[in-house]
Amino acid sequence: MTHHRSTWRNRWTFMLATAGSAIGLGNIWKLPYMIGVNGGSAFVLVFIACILVVGIPLMMTEILLGRRAQKNPFNGIEALAIEAKASPHWKLLGGMGMLTGLLILSFYSVIGGWVLYFITEATKGSFVGIEATQSTANFNNLLASPLTLLFWHTVFMCLTMGVVARGVNSGLEKANNILIPALFVILLILLGYSMSVGDMQAAYHFMFSLDFSKITPVAVLSALGHAFFSLSLGMGSVMVYGSYLQRHVSIARTTIYIALADTMLGLLVGLAIYALVFANNLAPNAGPGLIFQTLPIAFGHMPWGSLIATLFFMLVAFAAWTSAISLVEPTIAWIVENTTISRKVSATTLGFAVWLLGIAVVLSFNDWQHVKIIFGLNIFETLDKLTSTILLPLGGLLMAIFAGYFMKRDHVQDELNLDNRGFKLWRITNNYISPIAIIAVFLYLFGLVK
Ligand code: TRP
């Protein structure tokens, strides 16, 4: 069966879409609390190193796989394996990626729901004059109410599937063209405020002081996992977006812009948040609730606070939305390219399945709080750790090995189209440095090295 495949209108649109996938709750919700939980600057340092050494080369690899294959990750990797005379079973790597994306979406949508709820709270002026105890109590009340969580999880899921159902050209492009630039503008406003009233010096010290003694194995593991999460790597999001990319666009340059934008944005949000955290004597290691507990206090005391809070949470919701879309796109592309099922029907069915799993996540914050799956982790924590620290790095490792050791060198070079030095640099990082780094982390994880 041959299908007409749509492509992005131009390179800018691809950049916006991929940046839209990368920039999301990972930057705004997860990175800040992970920095706090993992000891501040030690984590930041390793995170930046992981982005440079593992993230950037691997993003290039994922785009090149997608563009060469011109297909969804499952059939795409299969086609590339056949072209390379390797086992067609490599397609299972695509399948694993699709599953990983759906697992991530199940909790991503619940957190996206928290954000939507906070937009409504902000518009109601609920934060005005609020103090720390009240803000924490508000957040805990939200977590204690399964029905509220379920309602907003449902809304978030419908928003996501609504765009996905419309398809790459009409849906994704339009959404991204408006949302990403808007997001940058709103962030600058927040940062400006934070600089004027927050404790920027303390935030800077917390995030960037060079203190190697604080680097722990757990921080390294979390930082590697988060580099994958933040850049949307290891499951096929970037691969499927790359498959819609025209031939003449430079993969290396596009990758570097996206990785820089994503990392900078995450760190700037971190600075803005920690400047507020320290100025208000809040705890940096509050965990997943960090931004939801601390920001309302700051918003509650600033002029125009309710308006700024509304804008901020809208920004986060937009960012989460464009990321969530990319978590399902590989699976949707796979269904649409292999069956006669329409985009609309597949989006609805898949959305429903992920929504069901999301209910378990909702309950893990209240009624099922004490249900532990493995290593004393509840359902949310299990899904988060399983995907970020195992499935994504494993997917990335296999993609790097496939592109580096199985595909023909000429074919890879054909897509990357780099000069000699650039190609060598990509090869060394893709074939040796990042696989070794990932394997080393895995060996540690399974207790094989100490
Ligand atoms: N990168 C997004 C964020 O930071 C989340 C995301 C979208 C993602 N697509 C992905 C994470 C693919 C891992 C893999 O919020």
Side-chain angles (χ1 to χ4, degrees):
M1 200 174 356
T2 57
H3 275 272
H4 168 70
R5 281 182 62 84
S6 13
T7 55
W8 303 108
R9 210 159 292 145
N10 51 41
R11 161 167 146 215
W12 180 232
T13 322
F14 168 77
M15 288 245 291
L16 281 177
T18 311
S21 162
I23 296 168
L25 293 174
N27 309 65
I28 300 161
W29 157 74
K30 200 171 178 196
L31 180 66
Y33 87 73
M34 300 260 290
I35 294 176
V37 169
N38 291 293
S41 56
F43 176 86
V44 174
L45 206 71
V46 183
F47 173 69
I48 295 176
C50 289
I51 294 275
L52 293 177
V53 177
V54 183
I56 291 183
L58 203 75
M59 185 177 249
M60 291 172 58
T61 306
E62 230 186 290
I63 300 177
L64 89 84
L65 291 177
R67 189 167 70 178
R68 177 137 203 110
Q70 292 285 305
K71 282 189 177 70
N72 66 78
F74 187 84
N75 301 98
I77 294 181
E78 181 183 33
L80 292 177
I82 292 170
E83 181 185 64
K85 304 203 167 55
S87 158
H89 290 309
W90 275 99
K91 68 185 173 197
L92 294 178
L93 172 57
M96 180 177 91
M98 298 191 301
L99 184 71
T100 309
L102 301 179
L103 292 179
I104 295 177
L105 185 60
S106 72
F107 68 83
Y108 206 86
S109 169
V110 174
I111 314 291
W114 296 0
V115 177
L116 296 177
Y117 170 81
F118 270 72
I119 299 177
T120 63
E121 285 298 291
T123 56
K124 282 194 270 177
S126 309
F127 307 148
V128 178
I130 204 174
E131 298 301 336
T133 31
Q134 185 59 39
S135 177
T136 308
N138 285 357
F139 181 71
N140 290 339
N141 282 344
L142 169 67
L143 290 195
S145 164
L147 282 182
T148 317
L149 294 179
L150 179 63
F151 174 78
W152 291 108
H153 159 54
T154 310
V155 175
F156 189 87
M157 207 64 205
C158 291
L159 284 174
T160 303
M161 291 307 167
V163 175
V164 172
R166 262 165 237 165
V168 145
N169 279 332
S170 50
L172 300 188
E173 272 195 29
K174 272 204 199 99
N176 278 301
N177 277 326
I178 307 164
L179 301 183
I180 300 301
L183 189 153
F184 267 90
V185 174
I186 304 179
L187 176 72
L188 287 180
I189 299 174
L190 180 79
L191 195 68
Y193 175 80
S194 243
M195 283 174 89
S196 69
V197 306
D199 191 344
M200 207 33 101
Q201 222 178 344
Y204 189 84
H205 182 77
F206 181 65
M207 283 176 56
F208 297 109
S209 63
L210 281 187
D211 184 356
F212 293 96
S213 69
K214 283 204 221 114
I215 299 181
T216 62
V218 177
V220 174
L221 183 65
S222 321
L224 177 75
H226 192 64
F228 277 87
F229 191 92
S230 190
L231 290 179
S232 298
L233 298 177
M235 59 131 298
S237 275
V238 170
M239 184 178 167
V240 80
Y241 279 12
S243 78
Y244 304 129
L245 181 65
Q246 295 102 326
R247 284 238 104 82
H248 55 84
V249 176
S250 155
I251 292 180
R253 203 172 328 137
T254 328
T255 297
I256 288 171
Y257 288 150
I258 295 170
L260 279 183
D262 183 68
T263 311
M264 290 286 296
L265 192 120
L267 294 175
L268 289 179
V269 175
L271 275 177
I273 285 174
Y274 279 107
L276 297 171
V277 165
F278 291 122
N280 290 283
N281 286 324
L282 304 166
N285 61 351
L290 180 72
I291 69 163
F292 299 97
Q293 291 167 359
T294 59
L295 288 176
I297 307 169
F299 291 133
H301 290 93
M302 64 172 84
W304 302 90
S306 296
L307 178 69
I308 299 174
T310 309
L311 289 176
F312 176 82
F313 286 112
M314 280 171 67
L315 162 154
V316 184
F318 287 159
W321 194 14
T322 51
S323 301
I325 291 165
S326 75
L327 286 166
V328 256
E329 183 58 23
T331 315
I332 297 285
W334 172 66
I335 299 177
V336 170
E337 285 164 21
N338 285 286
T339 65
T340 51
I341 303 173
S342 72
R343 229 173 203 283
K344 279 208 180 65
V345 174
S346 31
T348 314
T349 326
L350 213 58
F352 182 71
V354 176
W355 176 81
L356 279 181
L357 183 57
I359 296 180
V361 176
V362 161
L363 292 172
S364 74
F365 289 104
N366 36 67
D367 297 357
W368 292 358
Q369 204 168 6
H370 302 294
V371 178
K372 307 290 185 208
I373 308 295
I374 36 164
F375 304 125
L377 303 171
N378 68 25
I379 296 171
F380 159 70
E381 293 161 343
T382 305
L383 284 167
D384 174 35
K385 295 278 184 300
L386 174 71
T387 50
S388 282
T389 49
I390 299 182
L391 292 176
L392 295 176
L394 180 63
L397 172 67
L398 293 173
M399 286 184 201
I401 290 176
F402 180 74
Y405 295 95
F406 287 85
M407 280 175 73
K408 286 213 177 66
R409 210 188 165 116
D410 302 351
H411 291 170
V412 174
Q413 169 62 318
D414 207 30
E415 291 298 328
L416 289 179
N417 204 5
L418 290 166
D419 59 21
N420 263 336
R421 260 188 46 220
F423 187 64
K424 248 202 199 119
L425 194 62
W426 173 82
R427 242 181 101 81
I428 291 173
T429 39
N430 181 83
N431 291 19
Y432 305 101
I433 301 179
S434 58
I436 290 173
I438 298 170
I439 289 172
V441 169
F442 276 153
L443 290 180
Y444 170 79
L445 185 65
F446 296 115
L448 297 175
V449 291
K450 283 269 180 285

